[in-house]
Amino acid sequence: MTKAFIAETIQQSAEITAVAAHKVAGTLVDAIVAEMKKSGKFTLPGFGTFTVRKTKARKGVNPRLGTPIKIKAGKTVRFKASPTLKKKM
């Protein structure tokens, strides 16, 4: 799913211009990211929950050279589908 797909769906359902639909889609994505930065999770009822998780520093292997490398600690986003979404699938 892309932001363009979301904008197209909004445009068709709300019967608004493409420019307005792209603004709405962009604002929606920005709001989700801002909420995840602030609280560490975002729940969309009936769809699922996005959570931010920390990853530990670890050792890896450079696939091109085969040499060991250090991978820094960071953050990643996890998604857990709601029971409602699972039933619909």
Side-chain angles (χ1 to χ4, degrees), residues 54-72:
K54 294 180 181 180
T55 59
K56 295 179 181 179
R58 61 194 187 278
K59 294 179 183 178
V61 177
N62 181 333
R64 184 172 291 194
L65 303 175
T67 58
I69 59 172
K70 292 180 181 177
I71 301 171
K72 295 179 182 179

Side-chain angles (χ1 to χ4, degrees), residues 15-47:
E15 297 178 0
I16 58 176
T17 65
V19 173
H22 280 277
K23 276 187 178 180
V24 170
T27 303
L28 175 66
V29 171
D30 293 342
I32 291 170
V33 170
E35 181 63 25
M36 288 175 58
K37 282 184 178 180
K38 185 175 105 179
S39 67
K41 70 177 187 174
F42 176 77
T43 301
L44 191 58
F47 187 71

